[in-house]
Amino acid sequence: MSGRLYVVGLGPADERWLTLEAQQALAEAQDVIGYEPYVARVPLREGQTRLASDNRVEIDRAREALARTQSGRVVAVVSGGDPGVFAMAAAVFEAVEAGAPEWRSLDIRVIPGVSAMQAAAARLGAPLGHDFCAISLSDNLKPWDVIEKRLEHAARGDFVMALYNPASRARPTRIADAFALLRRFLPGETFVGLAKSVGREKEAFILTQLDRVDPAQVDMATLVIIGARGTKRIARDDARDWVYTSRKAG
Amino acid sequence: MSGRLYVVGLGPADERWLTLEAQQALAEAQDVIGYEPYVARVPLREGQTRLASDNRVEIDRAREALARTQSGRVVAVVSGGDPGVFAMAAAVFEAVEAGAPEWRSLDIRVIPGVSAMQAAAARLGAPLGHDFCAISLSDNLKPWDVIEKRLEHAARGDFVMALYNPASRARPTRIADAFALLRRFLPGETFVGLAKSVGREKEAFILTQLDRVDPAQVDMATLVIIGARGTKRIARDDARDWVYTSRKAG
């Protein structure tokens, strides 16, 4: 008998963004597999096996999960945010495609979740309120010139942008390069929001604009939002401004 | 004493995609306001006022919610999906900006949710697994040439696309026009997925490609996904193919 593989989105922080479907999958799983900080967020359940690994080994982790599922286990691969957005789901299907033909018959269910850009946007107001792009600045798997091309088209199309993976130890200048590129296509007063550690104790926001943003303020736990022409700030006396993108064209 | 306004995402269908935070907000609300089918999805609670309205009056609904909050009520404006993605949150902040100065001091909390594209993607595999755009084809508030420009840049940037509001009674040819435009920039074999009524009883999926898709199969409850060069189909003998977008460049 073969088992079942859940690819579960935990949302960006604590359990407040867990869906009912995700809770049920985690309760049913015999094995929980994922990057260590995500596995640590799954409520302990007696008899459940927990396999925590490093962030770099996504494909190995996917293969391990698929092999266990094939052997009859109910497995949950856990991701922060939404597993379908720059997270484990694509790695699982990549492993299926390259793997044993029997894996194509497995019962695989992706459980969507709230992604980091959505939690960040909710805190700021509604900056993703109209057409937007989500772009990963990680050049581990794609060349930097592909990222540059996408940033350029997102800017020329007047999209709001949510930039994931804006910094890494390997390429600390990544976000500075992206800001420099965007300044060639967008006005200096374009809204830039830095959302740091959303939903966690260290949560912090910086509201600024393209010609003033300091790339040094962007770290690995930052989600960067670039506004479109229709993105507006609502000034407030006693609190952080609200930011939203008009449903009309900028 | 002023109240509190929750702008709550219910997810795309039944309660399986409700987050804990959304459940808490709905339990706390004295007044629930929204488009009728969404209000109908909120569990009944004794003493809670329910104000259901037509889909067209988003700004009126937002103003009503803000006025009630100002008067001291705890109000939930409910949206399908994520209120921050083509839904009520932008309308609320638009109303704040244009409204009474006191509204800027209100306690407004946006509660993110799973958006239709995420639920559709989860069912198909991981088609949004890499850089993607979300575009509304509604030309109620923006001119069609802005939409055309965005589709063109999304295509030239090799983004996966999630197309919201692909059809309406007022403009039934909208999606046909969009497909025709995309065919000028993308190969005929580009993946197209039609996800209909995701999570509901009538749920259905059509997996096809750009030179074969039939616009007549797209209705108001359809979410359209256009693949990028890196989007792949995994053939399966006994079930619907899986679709995912490679994390590498196409």
Side-chain angles (χ1 to χ4, degrees), chain A residues 15-17 19-21 58 82 84 94 97 104 113 118 128 130-134 136 142 150 153 157-158 235-236 244 247, chain B residues 15-18 20-21 58 82 84 94 97 104 113 118 128 130-134 136 142 150 153 157-158 235-236 244 247:
Chain A
E15 78 278 0
R16 89 191 80 166
W17 291 311
T19 65
L20 289 171
E21 191 181 40
E58 289 176 333
D82 182 336
E94 203 180 305
E97 193 180 38
R104 298 187 182 212
Q118 297 169 285
L128 304 181
H130 211 67
D131 304 329
F132 68 91
C133 295
S136 167
K142 65 185 166 184
R150 291 191 179 144
H153 282 294
D158 190 31
R236 301 171 74 200
Y244 81 100
R247 300 165 302 154
Chain B
E15 79 278 359
R16 89 191 80 166
W17 291 311
L18 263 190
L20 289 171
E21 191 183 40
E58 289 176 334
D82 183 337
E94 203 178 306
E97 193 180 36
R104 298 186 181 212
Q118 297 170 286
L128 303 180
H130 212 68
D131 303 330
F132 67 92
C133 296
S136 167
K142 65 185 166 183
R150 290 191 179 144
H153 283 294
D158 190 31
R236 302 171 73 201
Y244 80 100
R247 301 166 300 154

Short mmCIF file of all heavy atoms in Angstrom, two decimals, chain A residues 15-17 19-21 58 82 84 94 97 104 113 118 128 130-134 136 142 150 153 157-158 235-236 244 247, chain B residues 15-18 20-21 58 82 84 94 97 104 113 118 128 130-134 136 142 150 153 157-158 235-236 244 247:
data_model
loop_
_atom_site.label_atom_id
_atom_site.label_comp_id
_atom_site.label_asym_id
_atom_site.label_seq_id
_atom_site.Cartn_x
_atom_site.Cartn_y
_atom_site.Cartn_z
N GLU A 15 1.42 30.12 14.39
CA GLU A 15 0.28 29.36 13.88
C GLU A 15 -0.91 30.21 13.46
O GLU A 15 -1.88 29.69 12.91
CB GLU A 15 -0.16 28.30 14.91
CG GLU A 15 -0.99 28.83 16.07
CD GLU A 15 -0.16 29.43 17.19
OE1 GLU A 15 1.09 29.45 17.08
OE2 GLU A 15 -0.75 29.89 18.18
N ARG A 16 -0.86 31.53 13.63
CA ARG A 16 -2.05 32.34 13.32
C ARG A 16 -2.44 32.23 11.85
O ARG A 16 -3.59 32.42 11.50
CB ARG A 16 -1.82 33.80 13.73
CG ARG A 16 -1.19 34.67 12.66
CD ARG A 16 -0.76 36.01 13.20
NE ARG A 16 0.51 35.87 13.89
CZ ARG A 16 1.29 36.88 14.25
NH1 ARG A 16 0.89 38.12 14.03
NH2 ARG A 16 2.44 36.68 14.84
N TRP A 17 -1.44 31.96 10.97
CA TRP A 17 -1.76 31.88 9.54
C TRP A 17 -1.91 30.45 9.04
O TRP A 17 -1.96 30.22 7.84
CB TRP A 17 -0.73 32.67 8.73
CG TRP A 17 -0.85 34.16 8.96
CD1 TRP A 17 -2.01 34.89 8.91
CD2 TRP A 17 0.18 35.09 9.30
NE1 TRP A 17 -1.75 36.21 9.20
CE2 TRP A 17 -0.42 36.37 9.43
CE3 TRP A 17 1.56 34.97 9.49
CZ2 TRP A 17 0.32 37.51 9.75
CZ3 TRP A 17 2.28 36.11 9.80
CH2 TRP A 17 1.68 37.37 9.93
N THR A 19 -3.89 27.24 8.02
CA THR A 19 -5.27 26.95 7.63
C THR A 19 -5.75 25.67 8.31
O THR A 19 -4.94 24.87 8.81
CB THR A 19 -5.38 26.75 6.11
OG1 THR A 19 -4.64 25.58 5.76
CG2 THR A 19 -4.85 27.94 5.34
N LEU A 20 -7.05 25.46 8.30
CA LEU A 20 -7.61 24.21 8.84
C LEU A 20 -7.05 23.00 8.09
O LEU A 20 -6.70 21.99 8.68
CB LEU A 20 -9.13 24.24 8.74
CG LEU A 20 -9.83 25.21 9.69
CD1 LEU A 20 -11.32 25.32 9.36
CD2 LEU A 20 -9.66 24.75 11.14
N GLU A 21 -6.98 23.13 6.77
CA GLU A 21 -6.47 22.03 5.95
C GLU A 21 -5.02 21.68 6.34
O GLU A 21 -4.66 20.49 6.43
CB GLU A 21 -6.54 22.44 4.48
CG GLU A 21 -6.28 21.34 3.49
CD GLU A 21 -6.34 21.83 2.05
OE1 GLU A 21 -5.84 22.94 1.75
OE2 GLU A 21 -6.87 21.11 1.21
N GLU A 58 17.03 20.92 -0.90
CA GLU A 58 15.61 20.75 -1.18
C GLU A 58 15.29 19.49 -1.97
O GLU A 58 14.31 18.80 -1.70
CB GLU A 58 15.08 21.98 -1.94
CG GLU A 58 15.02 23.20 -1.06
CD GLU A 58 14.60 24.45 -1.83
OE1 GLU A 58 14.85 24.51 -3.04
OE2 GLU A 58 14.03 25.34 -1.20
N ASP A 82 3.66 29.77 1.52
CA ASP A 82 2.91 28.89 0.63
C ASP A 82 3.92 27.98 -0.07
O ASP A 82 4.85 28.50 -0.70
CB ASP A 82 2.17 29.76 -0.40
CG ASP A 82 1.31 28.93 -1.35
OD1 ASP A 82 1.59 27.73 -1.54
OD2 ASP A 82 0.35 29.49 -1.90
N GLY A 84 3.78 26.57 -2.72
CA GLY A 84 3.75 26.78 -4.17
C GLY A 84 4.44 28.05 -4.62
O GLY A 84 4.57 28.28 -5.83
N GLU A 94 9.76 18.44 -9.30
CA GLU A 94 11.03 18.25 -10.02
C GLU A 94 11.60 16.87 -9.69
O GLU A 94 12.06 16.15 -10.59
CB GLU A 94 11.98 19.35 -9.55
CG GLU A 94 13.11 19.70 -10.50
CD GLU A 94 13.96 20.81 -9.90
OE1 GLU A 94 13.41 21.89 -9.54
OE2 GLU A 94 15.18 20.60 -9.75
N GLU A 97 9.51 14.17 -11.43
CA GLU A 97 9.78 14.08 -12.87
C GLU A 97 11.08 13.32 -13.15
O GLU A 97 11.14 12.52 -14.09
CB GLU A 97 9.86 15.48 -13.48
CG GLU A 97 9.83 15.45 -14.99
CD GLU A 97 9.91 16.85 -15.59
OE1 GLU A 97 10.64 17.70 -15.06
OE2 GLU A 97 9.24 17.08 -16.61
N ARG A 104 5.01 8.70 -9.95
CA ARG A 104 3.93 9.43 -10.65
C ARG A 104 2.54 8.95 -10.25
O ARG A 104 1.54 9.59 -10.58
CB ARG A 104 4.10 9.29 -12.17
CG ARG A 104 5.42 9.90 -12.63
CD ARG A 104 5.55 9.94 -14.13
NE ARG A 104 6.86 10.50 -14.45
CZ ARG A 104 7.13 11.22 -15.52
NH1 ARG A 104 6.18 11.46 -16.41
NH2 ARG A 104 8.33 11.71 -15.72
N GLY A 113 -0.80 28.03 1.46
CA GLY A 113 -0.71 28.82 2.68
C GLY A 113 -0.53 30.30 2.36
O GLY A 113 -0.40 30.68 1.20
N GLN A 118 2.01 38.31 1.23
CA GLN A 118 0.63 38.60 1.64
C GLN A 118 0.58 39.08 3.08
O GLN A 118 -0.18 40.00 3.41
CB GLN A 118 -0.22 37.34 1.46
CG GLN A 118 -0.29 36.90 0.01
CD GLN A 118 -0.90 35.54 -0.14
OE1 GLN A 118 -0.25 34.53 0.14
NE2 GLN A 118 -2.14 35.48 -0.58
N LEU A 128 -0.42 45.30 -2.54
CA LEU A 128 -0.60 44.37 -3.66
C LEU A 128 -2.04 44.42 -4.18
O LEU A 128 -2.52 43.48 -4.80
CB LEU A 128 -0.27 42.93 -3.22
CG LEU A 128 1.10 42.66 -2.63
CD1 LEU A 128 1.25 41.19 -2.27
CD2 LEU A 128 2.21 43.05 -3.61
N HIS A 130 -3.36 45.79 -6.57
CA HIS A 130 -3.61 45.65 -8.00
C HIS A 130 -2.49 44.83 -8.66
O HIS A 130 -1.69 44.22 -7.97
CB HIS A 130 -3.84 47.00 -8.66
CG HIS A 130 -4.78 46.81 -9.81
ND1 HIS A 130 -6.09 46.44 -9.63
CD2 HIS A 130 -4.57 46.81 -11.13
CE1 HIS A 130 -6.65 46.26 -10.82
NE2 HIS A 130 -5.75 46.48 -11.73
N ASP A 131 -2.47 44.76 -9.99
CA ASP A 131 -1.55 43.85 -10.70
C ASP A 131 -0.14 43.87 -10.11
O ASP A 131 0.47 44.92 -9.96
CB ASP A 131 -1.50 44.24 -12.19
CG ASP A 131 -2.87 44.25 -12.84
OD1 ASP A 131 -3.74 43.46 -12.42
OD2 ASP A 131 -3.08 45.06 -13.76
N PHE A 132 0.38 42.69 -9.85
CA PHE A 132 1.71 42.62 -9.22
C PHE A 132 2.49 41.40 -9.71
O PHE A 132 1.92 40.46 -10.25
CB PHE A 132 1.59 42.61 -7.69
CG PHE A 132 0.96 41.36 -7.12
CD1 PHE A 132 1.73 40.26 -6.75
CD2 PHE A 132 -0.41 41.29 -6.95
CE1 PHE A 132 1.14 39.12 -6.23
CE2 PHE A 132 -1.02 40.15 -6.43
CZ PHE A 132 -0.23 39.06 -6.08
N CYS A 133 3.80 41.44 -9.46
CA CYS A 133 4.70 40.32 -9.76
C CYS A 133 5.40 39.87 -8.50
O CYS A 133 5.68 40.68 -7.63
CB CYS A 133 5.84 40.77 -10.69
SG CYS A 133 5.32 41.29 -12.29
N ALA A 134 5.69 38.60 -8.44
CA ALA A 134 6.55 38.05 -7.38
C ALA A 134 7.82 37.55 -8.05
O ALA A 134 7.75 36.76 -9.00
CB ALA A 134 5.83 36.92 -6.66
N SER A 136 11.88 36.17 -7.36
CA SER A 136 12.95 35.76 -6.46
C SER A 136 14.27 36.29 -6.99
O SER A 136 14.60 36.09 -8.17
CB SER A 136 13.01 34.23 -6.36
OG SER A 136 14.23 33.86 -5.72
N LYS A 142 19.08 30.25 -11.33
CA LYS A 142 18.89 30.93 -12.62
C LYS A 142 19.94 32.03 -12.74
O LYS A 142 20.36 32.61 -11.74
CB LYS A 142 17.46 31.50 -12.74
CG LYS A 142 17.13 32.61 -11.74
CD LYS A 142 15.69 33.09 -11.79
CE LYS A 142 15.41 33.93 -10.54
NZ LYS A 142 14.04 34.40 -10.39
N ARG A 150 13.53 40.26 -15.94
CA ARG A 150 12.21 40.26 -15.30
C ARG A 150 11.95 41.55 -14.54
O ARG A 150 10.85 42.10 -14.57
CB ARG A 150 12.06 39.03 -14.41
CG ARG A 150 11.98 37.78 -15.27
CD ARG A 150 11.58 36.54 -14.53
NE ARG A 150 11.52 35.44 -15.49
CZ ARG A 150 11.87 34.17 -15.26
NH1 ARG A 150 12.27 33.82 -14.04
NH2 ARG A 150 11.80 33.26 -16.20
N HIS A 153 11.02 44.22 -17.12
CA HIS A 153 9.66 44.12 -17.66
C HIS A 153 8.62 44.43 -16.58
O HIS A 153 7.58 45.03 -16.87
CB HIS A 153 9.43 42.75 -18.29
CG HIS A 153 10.04 42.65 -19.65
ND1 HIS A 153 9.59 43.39 -20.71
CD2 HIS A 153 11.09 41.93 -20.10
CE1 HIS A 153 10.35 43.12 -21.78
NE2 HIS A 153 11.27 42.24 -21.43
N GLY A 157 6.09 47.43 -17.17
CA GLY A 157 4.66 47.11 -17.16
C GLY A 157 3.90 47.77 -16.01
O GLY A 157 2.71 47.56 -15.87
N ASP A 158 4.61 48.57 -15.19
CA ASP A 158 3.98 49.25 -14.06
C ASP A 158 3.32 48.27 -13.09
O ASP A 158 2.22 48.50 -12.59
CB ASP A 158 2.97 50.30 -14.55
CG ASP A 158 2.47 51.22 -13.44
OD1 ASP A 158 3.24 51.48 -12.49
OD2 ASP A 158 1.30 51.65 -13.50
N ALA A 235 -1.04 59.39 4.90
CA ALA A 235 -0.31 59.92 6.06
C ALA A 235 -1.16 59.81 7.31
O ALA A 235 -2.38 60.03 7.27
CB ALA A 235 0.05 61.38 5.80
N ARG A 236 -0.55 59.44 8.42
CA ARG A 236 -1.25 59.34 9.71
C ARG A 236 -0.42 60.04 10.76
O ARG A 236 0.81 59.99 10.74
CB ARG A 236 -1.44 57.87 10.08
CG ARG A 236 -2.22 57.11 9.02
CD ARG A 236 -2.21 55.63 9.32
NE ARG A 236 -3.10 55.33 10.44
CZ ARG A 236 -3.02 54.22 11.17
NH1 ARG A 236 -2.06 53.35 10.96
NH2 ARG A 236 -3.89 54.01 12.14
N TYR A 244 -1.43 51.67 -0.06
CA TYR A 244 -2.30 50.80 -0.88
C TYR A 244 -2.09 51.13 -2.35
O TYR A 244 -1.58 52.20 -2.70
CB TYR A 244 -3.77 50.97 -0.48
CG TYR A 244 -4.47 52.18 -1.06
CD1 TYR A 244 -5.29 52.06 -2.18
CD2 TYR A 244 -4.29 53.44 -0.50
CE1 TYR A 244 -5.94 53.17 -2.72
CE2 TYR A 244 -4.92 54.55 -1.04
CZ TYR A 244 -5.74 54.42 -2.16
OH TYR A 244 -6.35 55.51 -2.69
N ARG A 247 -6.99 50.59 -7.44
CA ARG A 247 -7.49 49.63 -8.42
C ARG A 247 -7.61 50.26 -9.80
O ARG A 247 -7.80 49.57 -10.79
CB ARG A 247 -8.84 49.09 -7.94
CG ARG A 247 -8.73 48.38 -6.59
CD ARG A 247 -10.09 48.17 -5.97
NE ARG A 247 -10.79 49.44 -5.80
CZ ARG A 247 -12.11 49.56 -5.77
NH1 ARG A 247 -12.87 48.49 -5.88
NH2 ARG A 247 -12.66 50.75 -5.61
N GLU B 15 -14.47 26.38 4.49
CA GLU B 15 -13.62 26.82 5.60
C GLU B 15 -12.24 26.15 5.64
O GLU B 15 -11.41 26.52 6.47
CB GLU B 15 -14.35 26.61 6.94
CG GLU B 15 -14.37 25.19 7.49
CD GLU B 15 -15.45 24.31 6.87
OE1 GLU B 15 -16.22 24.82 6.02
OE2 GLU B 15 -15.52 23.12 7.21
N ARG B 16 -11.97 25.22 4.74
CA ARG B 16 -10.67 24.52 4.86
C ARG B 16 -9.48 25.47 4.75
O ARG B 16 -8.41 25.20 5.26
CB ARG B 16 -10.58 23.40 3.83
CG ARG B 16 -10.01 23.80 2.49
CD ARG B 16 -10.18 22.73 1.46
NE ARG B 16 -11.54 22.78 0.94
CZ ARG B 16 -11.94 22.15 -0.17
NH1 ARG B 16 -11.10 21.39 -0.84
NH2 ARG B 16 -13.17 22.28 -0.61
N TRP B 17 -9.67 26.61 4.03
CA TRP B 17 -8.55 27.53 3.85
C TRP B 17 -8.62 28.74 4.79
O TRP B 17 -7.89 29.71 4.61
CB TRP B 17 -8.45 27.95 2.38
CG TRP B 17 -8.01 26.81 1.50
CD1 TRP B 17 -6.94 25.97 1.73
CD2 TRP B 17 -8.60 26.37 0.28
NE1 TRP B 17 -6.85 25.04 0.73
CE2 TRP B 17 -7.85 25.26 -0.18
CE3 TRP B 17 -9.68 26.79 -0.48
CZ2 TRP B 17 -8.15 24.57 -1.35
CZ3 TRP B 17 -9.97 26.12 -1.66
CH2 TRP B 17 -9.22 25.02 -2.08
N LEU B 18 -9.52 28.69 5.76
CA LEU B 18 -9.56 29.76 6.77
C LEU B 18 -8.35 29.64 7.69
O LEU B 18 -8.01 28.56 8.16
CB LEU B 18 -10.80 29.60 7.65
CG LEU B 18 -12.05 30.41 7.34
CD1 LEU B 18 -13.02 30.25 8.50
CD2 LEU B 18 -11.76 31.87 7.09
N LEU B 20 -6.38 30.61 11.39
CA LEU B 20 -6.78 30.82 12.78
C LEU B 20 -7.09 32.29 13.03
O LEU B 20 -8.06 32.64 13.69
CB LEU B 20 -5.68 30.34 13.72
CG LEU B 20 -5.49 28.83 13.79
CD1 LEU B 20 -4.23 28.50 14.59
CD2 LEU B 20 -6.70 28.17 14.44
N GLU B 21 -6.26 33.16 12.49
CA GLU B 21 -6.45 34.60 12.67
C GLU B 21 -7.81 35.05 12.10
O GLU B 21 -8.52 35.86 12.72
CB GLU B 21 -5.31 35.34 11.98
CG GLU B 21 -5.21 36.81 12.29
CD GLU B 21 -4.08 37.49 11.51
OE1 GLU B 21 -3.87 37.18 10.32
OE2 GLU B 21 -3.42 38.34 12.10
N GLU B 58 -18.34 48.19 -3.88
CA GLU B 58 -17.25 47.99 -2.93
C GLU B 58 -16.96 49.23 -2.09
O GLU B 58 -16.71 49.14 -0.89
CB GLU B 58 -15.98 47.58 -3.67
CG GLU B 58 -16.08 46.16 -4.22
CD GLU B 58 -14.88 45.77 -5.05
OE1 GLU B 58 -14.22 46.67 -5.60
OE2 GLU B 58 -14.60 44.57 -5.13
N ASP B 82 -7.77 36.32 -0.66
CA ASP B 82 -6.98 37.24 0.16
C ASP B 82 -7.52 38.64 -0.08
O ASP B 82 -7.56 39.08 -1.23
CB ASP B 82 -5.51 37.16 -0.27
CG ASP B 82 -4.59 38.03 0.58
OD1 ASP B 82 -5.08 39.01 1.19
OD2 ASP B 82 -3.40 37.74 0.65
N GLY B 84 -6.20 41.34 0.20
CA GLY B 84 -5.17 42.20 -0.37
C GLY B 84 -4.92 41.96 -1.85
O GLY B 84 -4.16 42.69 -2.48
N GLU B 94 -8.81 53.09 -0.03
CA GLU B 94 -9.26 54.15 -0.94
C GLU B 94 -10.34 54.99 -0.24
O GLU B 94 -10.32 56.24 -0.31
CB GLU B 94 -9.86 53.48 -2.19
CG GLU B 94 -9.89 54.31 -3.44
CD GLU B 94 -10.47 53.48 -4.60
OE1 GLU B 94 -9.95 52.38 -4.86
OE2 GLU B 94 -11.47 53.94 -5.19
N GLU B 97 -8.73 57.18 2.46
CA GLU B 97 -8.01 58.33 1.90
C GLU B 97 -8.98 59.45 1.52
O GLU B 97 -8.70 60.63 1.74
CB GLU B 97 -7.20 57.90 0.69
CG GLU B 97 -6.21 58.96 0.27
CD GLU B 97 -5.38 58.53 -0.95
OE1 GLU B 97 -5.93 57.85 -1.84
OE2 GLU B 97 -4.21 58.88 -0.99
N ARG B 104 -8.52 58.02 9.64
CA ARG B 104 -7.09 57.68 9.62
C ARG B 104 -6.57 57.23 10.98
O ARG B 104 -5.45 56.70 11.08
CB ARG B 104 -6.27 58.88 9.14
CG ARG B 104 -6.66 59.27 7.73
CD ARG B 104 -5.78 60.36 7.15
NE ARG B 104 -6.26 60.67 5.81
CZ ARG B 104 -5.50 61.06 4.80
NH1 ARG B 104 -4.20 61.21 4.99
NH2 ARG B 104 -6.00 61.30 3.61
N GLY B 113 -5.31 35.92 3.43
CA GLY B 113 -5.88 34.59 3.19
C GLY B 113 -5.28 33.96 1.95
O GLY B 113 -4.47 34.57 1.25
N GLN B 118 -3.50 30.58 -5.63
CA GLN B 118 -2.73 29.65 -4.81
C GLN B 118 -3.45 28.31 -4.66
O GLN B 118 -2.84 27.25 -4.71
CB GLN B 118 -2.48 30.26 -3.43
CG GLN B 118 -1.64 31.52 -3.53
CD GLN B 118 -1.59 32.28 -2.22
OE1 GLN B 118 -2.57 32.92 -1.83
NE2 GLN B 118 -0.48 32.19 -1.52
N LEU B 128 3.01 27.98 -10.09
CA LEU B 128 3.53 29.28 -9.66
C LEU B 128 4.86 29.11 -8.93
O LEU B 128 5.26 29.98 -8.15
CB LEU B 128 2.53 29.99 -8.73
CG LEU B 128 1.11 30.23 -9.27
CD1 LEU B 128 0.27 30.95 -8.22
CD2 LEU B 128 1.15 31.04 -10.56
N HIS B 130 7.77 29.47 -9.75
CA HIS B 130 8.82 30.47 -9.94
C HIS B 130 8.20 31.82 -10.28
O HIS B 130 7.00 32.00 -10.16
CB HIS B 130 9.88 29.99 -10.92
CG HIS B 130 11.19 30.57 -10.54
ND1 HIS B 130 11.84 30.20 -9.38
CD2 HIS B 130 11.90 31.56 -11.09
CE1 HIS B 130 12.91 30.95 -9.25
NE2 HIS B 130 12.97 31.78 -10.27
N ASP B 131 9.02 32.80 -10.67
CA ASP B 131 8.55 34.18 -10.85
C ASP B 131 7.23 34.24 -11.60
O ASP B 131 7.07 33.68 -12.68
CB ASP B 131 9.61 34.98 -11.62
CG ASP B 131 10.97 34.96 -10.92
OD1 ASP B 131 11.01 34.87 -9.68
OD2 ASP B 131 11.98 35.02 -11.64
N PHE B 132 6.28 34.97 -11.04
CA PHE B 132 4.95 35.04 -11.65
C PHE B 132 4.32 36.42 -11.45
O PHE B 132 4.74 37.20 -10.60
CB PHE B 132 4.02 33.95 -11.09
CG PHE B 132 3.67 34.12 -9.64
CD1 PHE B 132 2.52 34.81 -9.27
CD2 PHE B 132 4.47 33.57 -8.65
CE1 PHE B 132 2.19 34.96 -7.93
CE2 PHE B 132 4.14 33.73 -7.31
CZ PHE B 132 3.01 34.43 -6.95
N CYS B 133 3.29 36.68 -12.27
CA CYS B 133 2.49 37.91 -12.16
C CYS B 133 1.04 37.54 -11.90
O CYS B 133 0.56 36.52 -12.38
CB CYS B 133 2.48 38.66 -13.49
SG CYS B 133 4.04 39.27 -14.01
N ALA B 134 0.35 38.40 -11.19
CA ALA B 134 -1.10 38.30 -11.04
C ALA B 134 -1.69 39.53 -11.72
O ALA B 134 -1.32 40.66 -11.41
CB ALA B 134 -1.47 38.27 -9.56
N SER B 136 -5.37 41.32 -13.18
CA SER B 136 -6.83 41.32 -13.32
C SER B 136 -7.20 41.81 -14.71
O SER B 136 -6.72 42.87 -15.15
CB SER B 136 -7.46 42.23 -12.27
OG SER B 136 -8.83 42.45 -12.60
N LYS B 142 -9.76 50.29 -14.97
CA LYS B 142 -8.56 50.70 -15.71
C LYS B 142 -8.80 50.46 -17.19
O LYS B 142 -9.53 49.54 -17.56
CB LYS B 142 -7.32 49.94 -15.20
CG LYS B 142 -7.36 48.44 -15.47
CD LYS B 142 -6.18 47.68 -14.86
CE LYS B 142 -6.49 46.17 -14.87
NZ LYS B 142 -5.49 45.32 -14.25
N ARG B 150 0.47 45.30 -19.75
CA ARG B 150 0.96 44.40 -18.68
C ARG B 150 1.09 42.97 -19.19
O ARG B 150 2.05 42.27 -18.87
CB ARG B 150 0.05 44.50 -17.46
CG ARG B 150 0.24 45.86 -16.80
CD ARG B 150 -0.40 45.97 -15.43
NE ARG B 150 -0.12 47.33 -14.92
CZ ARG B 150 -0.95 48.06 -14.20
NH1 ARG B 150 -2.12 47.58 -13.83
NH2 ARG B 150 -0.61 49.27 -13.79
N HIS B 153 4.31 42.78 -21.24
CA HIS B 153 5.54 42.73 -20.43
C HIS B 153 5.66 41.43 -19.64
O HIS B 153 6.76 40.90 -19.47
CB HIS B 153 5.64 43.96 -19.52
CG HIS B 153 6.07 45.18 -20.27
ND1 HIS B 153 7.32 45.30 -20.83
CD2 HIS B 153 5.40 46.31 -20.60
CE1 HIS B 153 7.42 46.47 -21.45
NE2 HIS B 153 6.26 47.10 -21.33
N GLY B 157 8.80 39.08 -20.28
CA GLY B 157 9.64 38.79 -19.13
C GLY B 157 9.64 37.32 -18.74
O GLY B 157 10.28 36.93 -17.77
N ASP B 158 8.92 36.48 -19.49
CA ASP B 158 8.84 35.04 -19.22
C ASP B 158 8.32 34.75 -17.80
O ASP B 158 8.84 33.89 -17.10
CB ASP B 158 10.21 34.37 -19.45
CG ASP B 158 10.15 32.85 -19.42
OD1 ASP B 158 9.10 32.29 -19.80
OD2 ASP B 158 11.15 32.23 -18.98
N ALA B 235 3.48 13.73 -17.22
CA ALA B 235 2.42 12.84 -17.71
C ALA B 235 2.15 11.74 -16.69
O ALA B 235 3.07 11.21 -16.05
CB ALA B 235 2.84 12.23 -19.04
N ARG B 236 0.87 11.41 -16.50
CA ARG B 236 0.48 10.33 -15.57
C ARG B 236 -0.53 9.44 -16.28
O ARG B 236 -1.37 9.91 -17.04
CB ARG B 236 -0.13 10.93 -14.31
CG ARG B 236 0.82 11.88 -13.60
CD ARG B 236 0.11 12.61 -12.48
NE ARG B 236 -0.13 11.72 -11.36
CZ ARG B 236 -1.05 11.94 -10.42
NH1 ARG B 236 -1.84 12.98 -10.50
NH2 ARG B 236 -1.19 11.09 -9.43
N TYR B 244 4.28 21.90 -13.10
CA TYR B 244 5.10 22.72 -12.19
C TYR B 244 6.02 23.61 -13.01
O TYR B 244 6.28 23.34 -14.19
CB TYR B 244 5.91 21.83 -11.22
CG TYR B 244 7.16 21.23 -11.79
CD1 TYR B 244 8.41 21.80 -11.52
CD2 TYR B 244 7.12 20.11 -12.61
CE1 TYR B 244 9.57 21.26 -12.05
CE2 TYR B 244 8.27 19.55 -13.15
CZ TYR B 244 9.50 20.13 -12.86
OH TYR B 244 10.64 19.60 -13.38
N ARG B 247 12.45 25.80 -11.01
CA ARG B 247 13.10 26.92 -10.33
C ARG B 247 14.30 27.44 -11.12
O ARG B 247 14.84 28.50 -10.82
CB ARG B 247 13.53 26.48 -8.93
CG ARG B 247 12.34 26.00 -8.09
CD ARG B 247 12.78 25.24 -6.86
NE ARG B 247 13.57 24.09 -7.23
CZ ARG B 247 14.48 23.52 -6.46
NH1 ARG B 247 14.72 24.00 -5.27
NH2 ARG B 247 15.15 22.47 -6.87
#
